[in-house]
Amino acid sequence: HRFFGVTDEIGRIGEGLNDILTELERTKRDFELCHLAEMRKVQEMATLGELASAVAHEIRNPLAGISGAVQVLSEEFPESDPRKPIIAEILKEVERLDRSVKDLLLFARTPDPVLRHIPVKTIFERLERFIEPQARKNNVSVELDIRSGVDELYVDPDQIHQAFFNIALCAIQSMPEGGTLKIVAGASGNEHRIVFSDTGQGIPQDEIALLFKPFYTRKSGLSSLGLAISRGIIERHGGRIEVQSVIGKGTDYKVYLPVK
């Protein structure tokens, strides 16, 4: 009886080991599949960057020519000419296209950040100057709040300005009828957290997962290219960005950057 008891125990141990080995094999396969998927994603993004750069260069030169030609035409028309507003609208659209081309180039070839310690106050003051015209146009009030424990950020000042500007602009554009954009910098464990909170209409949950796709256009008509650029910059700083939104109440864009 003792022999059979030992045999049974060994059998159970063997079955347990087999279960563990099976689980390890499954985990290994899952890891390999995830790794392959990540590698494909990296390759796709590299190809996408090359394509964006090529398209931007192809567009930029003729766009500059169109802009110059339209400006010459505009100078020949008197202010009373009914064609003058049409020319002004063409120039406005050309400027919009030029901004889009610049965004494409920035997305395609953002260099590695050159990091240094920058006062948060300096970053916020510069950001406020740049977003003020659009905020005024949309009747949006901007509130800045620097909490204790976050005096400096270890960042590339120009790149982080671009990232924060894109996020703030996206928030402001979601409030065409007016509202409040609150930007709060504080500490969260071993990270700095910068939260951009708007009082817009919010983003549907099915759109949040698509927000950072470079060429996705939201139902509201807003492009996600600016947010894609922002996420790339933030990730190159060793950080991350999260989005939380409630329909009818607004959206929070939470940026986390490592403390160094």
Side-chain angles (χ1 to χ4, degrees):
H1 292 293
R2 183 180 301 173
F3 175 78
F4 286 114
V6 172
T7 302
D8 291 342
E9 186 65 27
I10 291 173
R12 284 194 291 272
I13 292 172
E15 290 174 359
L17 287 173
N18 283 332
D19 290 342
I20 292 171
L21 287 171
T22 301
E23 188 62 33
L24 284 173
E25 284 295 327
R26 186 182 297 115
T27 302
K28 181 185 175 184
R29 285 197 303 272
D30 290 345
F31 178 80
E32 289 172 348
L33 287 172
C34 288
H35 178 68
L36 287 172
E38 190 64 27
M39 289 300 295
R40 280 196 295 270
K41 181 181 177 183
V42 170
Q43 291 169 355
E44 287 170 1
M45 291 303 290
T47 302
L48 188 58
E50 293 171 3
L51 177 61
S53 181
V55 170
H57 281 297
E58 286 295 322
I59 294 174
R60 202 169 199 182
N61 289 337
L63 197 61
I66 292 170
S67 178
V70 172
Q71 287 178 24
V72 170
L73 283 174
S74 178
E75 292 169 1
E76 295 179 358
F77 295 153
E79 292 298 326
S80 59
D81 194 304
R83 291 171 293 182
K84 194 78 171 180
I86 298 173
I87 293 293
E89 188 63 29
I90 292 173
L91 285 172
K92 181 180 176 182
E93 289 301 306
V94 168
E95 289 175 4
R96 185 177 67 83
L97 284 171
D98 187 57
R99 286 196 301 271
S100 295
V101 169
K102 288 177 180 176
D103 282 346
L104 273 175
L105 287 171
L106 183 60
F107 169 74
R109 61 184 190 196
T110 301
D112 291 334
V114 179
L115 305 175
R116 55 194 177 96
H117 288 99
I118 307 293
V120 176
K121 184 179 179 182
T122 300
I123 295 170
F124 274 15
E125 287 176 347
R126 181 185 180 189
L127 177 62
E128 189 175 28
R129 286 196 304 272
F130 275 78
I131 64 175
E132 194 272 335
Q134 186 66 42
R136 187 173 65 249
K137 180 180 177 182
N138 282 36
N139 194 28
V140 170
S141 62
V142 180
E143 301 176 5
L144 305 177
D145 184 3
I146 303 174
R147 306 283 174 85
S148 60
V150 53
D151 300 320
E152 295 181 329
L153 297 179
Y154 189 59
V155 294
D156 182 310
D158 291 331
Q159 289 193 25
I160 210 66
H161 168 74
Q162 182 68 53
F164 287 177
F165 175 79
N166 290 345
I167 296 169
L169 187 61
C170 184
I172 290 169
Q173 289 174 339
S174 72
M175 299 180 283
E177 305 302 323
T180 301
L181 170 60
K182 189 170 185 179
I183 308 173
V184 180
S188 177
N190 62 344
E191 296 177 304
H192 288 137
R193 181 175 64 184
I194 301 88
V195 182
F196 297 76
S197 300
D198 68 52
T199 56
Q201 290 303 305
I203 303 169
Q205 288 300 310
D206 61 336
E207 282 196 7
I208 290 180
L210 303 171
L211 276 181
F212 301 100
K213 287 187 175 295
F215 304 107
Y216 173 70
T217 300
R218 292 160 54 188
K219 295 173 184 175
S220 61
L222 297 176
S223 169
S224 64
L225 182 57
L227 288 178
I229 291 170
S230 293
R231 185 177 70 170
I233 291 171
I234 290 163
E235 289 180 349
R236 277 189 287 274
H237 280 72
R240 67 187 191 281
I241 179 170
E242 299 175 355
V243 180
Q244 294 179 336
S245 189
V246 178
I247 297 297
K249 291 188 177 181
T251 302
D252 290 346
Y253 300 87
K254 299 179 181 181
V255 176
Y256 296 87
L257 294 169
V259 176
K260 293 184 180 180

